[in-house]
Amino acid sequence: MIKKKLNLYGRMRARDATPTTSSSSTTARGEEDFEWEMRPGGMLVQKRSAKPDAPVPNLRLRIAYGALRYEIYVTSMATFGEVKKVLSGETGLKVDEQKLMYGGKERENGEFLDMCGVKDRSKLVLIQDPSSIERRLIEMRHDAKIQSANRSILHVSLQLDQLVDQVSAIEKSISNGIKVPEVQITTLIEMLMRQAIKLESISAEGDASEQKTLQGKRVQKCVETLDLLKVSNARTKPAVVTTKLETFYHPPSSTKWELFD
């Protein structure tokens, strides 16, 4: 009877102790979960419990990017996002265009190298984000369109420079009272209108759009000036040029003839 009571008492104590062990193991597993914090630059990174007092070692990482190979040096406490920034200078890829693989899985920008098990001479695989390739093609087409618009507007601007000089020359002649053939004014207006049509056909945006508007105002100003000059030119009487002719012929003087036998 006494032995049965002792056995029962022992089983009760063992049962009471079981929840305590289970709680501690749950806490231990919970401490392994990563916590995140926001850095001043806006990057979300893993939260560290304390900063180590020992100096942080540098790591030499081997990066495989297709058939290319790179070696970079970073601290062990760097994030994968910081590694991408270094690789941007090497590959020309932006941070959001890169995917870094380590240990068979893609790593987030805010994950630390040492906390993910990255060591000296570890190999990382760099992959270009497929969606970024399409975005880059769209950007290249957009840039090419802007450059084409700038070239076209520049060509029109150079043509307008010559036409503006002709308008100034006509304006100067009429102001001096010299009548200009009307066909000269009409032809110049037609040439200006052709440049206006070219400007309208150019698809431009941003700075190119502002330049397009500026050149359009130049055309309008020149045409308005020529319309006014046409009226002034019609009132101008053609200049009459008179030339005084001098007579250089003088009748011969009387001559005395001598007779010789």
Side-chain angles (χ1 to χ4, degrees):
M1 181 65 68
I2 295 175
K3 289 183 179 181
K4 289 182 180 180
K5 289 183 179 180
L6 289 175
N7 291 336
L8 179 60
Y9 179 74
R11 287 197 299 270
M12 292 176 61
R13 292 202 50 186
R15 187 174 63 249
D16 294 338
T18 301
T20 305
T21 305
S22 174
S23 176
S24 61
S25 61
T26 303
T27 305
R29 287 196 300 269
E31 290 175 354
E32 292 177 358
D33 295 336
F34 294 137
E35 296 184 10
W36 300 86
E37 63 181 355
M38 186 74 69
R39 282 190 173 180
M43 181 182 292
L44 191 65
V45 300
Q46 294 178 13
K47 183 177 181 180
R48 292 181 177 274
S49 58
K51 295 183 179 180
D53 297 331
V56 179
N58 287 331
L59 301 179
R60 180 170 65 173
L61 302 180
R62 298 177 298 165
I63 310 297
Y65 176 40
L68 302 176
R69 298 293 182 268
Y70 300 95
E71 280 192 357
I72 62 173
Y73 293 85
V74 294
T75 65
S76 61
M77 293 181 63
T79 62
F80 283 89
E82 291 168 339
V83 172
K84 290 181 180 180
K85 291 180 180 179
V86 177
L87 290 173
S88 293
E90 299 287 342
T91 63
L93 297 177
K94 299 178 182 178
V95 172
D96 58 354
E97 295 177 343
Q98 302 178 40
K99 287 187 176 183
L100 277 178
M101 311 292 294
Y102 177 72
K105 61 180 295 187
E106 181 183 356
R107 299 296 177 172
E108 301 294 334
N109 290 342
E111 294 184 80
F112 289 98
L113 299 178
D114 58 346
M115 297 180 68
C116 293
V118 178
K119 303 183 182 302
D120 190 38
R121 296 178 177 271
S122 290
K123 180 180 179 181
L124 281 66
V125 178
L126 173 63
I127 301 174
Q128 184 177 3
D129 188 357
S131 61
S132 69
I133 299 176
E134 183 178 357
R135 290 197 304 268
R136 177 162 290 198
L137 289 175
I138 294 174
E139 291 177 0
M140 290 175 62
R141 294 194 195 101
H142 182 260
D143 293 341
K145 183 179 179 181
I146 292 176
Q147 293 177 4
S148 177
N150 286 330
R151 285 193 298 267
S152 299
I153 294 173
L154 178 60
H155 179 72
V156 171
S157 176
L158 295 175
Q159 295 294 321
L160 284 179
D161 290 342
Q162 299 177 7
L163 296 177
V164 168
D165 291 340
Q166 295 182 38
V167 173
S168 299
I170 292 176
E171 187 175 14
K172 184 177 181 180
S173 297
I174 295 176
S175 63
N176 291 333
I178 301 174
K179 189 176 182 65
V180 177
E182 186 175 350
V183 65
Q184 186 175 350
I185 300 176
T186 304
T187 301
L188 192 53
I189 292 177
E190 291 178 356
M191 295 174 68
L192 286 165
M193 294 308 298
R194 290 195 193 103
Q195 300 304 318
I197 294 173
K198 288 181 181 179
L199 285 173
E200 287 297 326
S201 65
I202 298 174
S203 177
E205 57 184 41
D207 295 338
S209 179
E210 294 179 3
Q211 288 297 321
K212 175 182 174 180
T213 302
L214 179 62
Q215 301 305 320
K217 290 181 179 179
R218 290 182 68 193
V219 173
Q220 182 180 358
K221 183 179 179 181
C222 288
V223 172
E224 291 175 352
T225 300
L226 289 174
D227 287 337
L228 295 175
L229 290 175
K230 187 188 294 185
V231 177
S232 301
N233 188 58
R235 297 173 182 172
T236 303
K237 296 182 179 181
V240 178
V241 180
T242 57
T243 304
K244 184 178 181 181
L245 299 178
E246 296 183 2
T247 304
F248 296 96
Y249 175 75
H250 300 282
S253 58
S254 58
T255 305
K256 293 181 179 182
W257 300 90
E258 297 182 4
L259 299 176
F260 297 94
D261 295 334

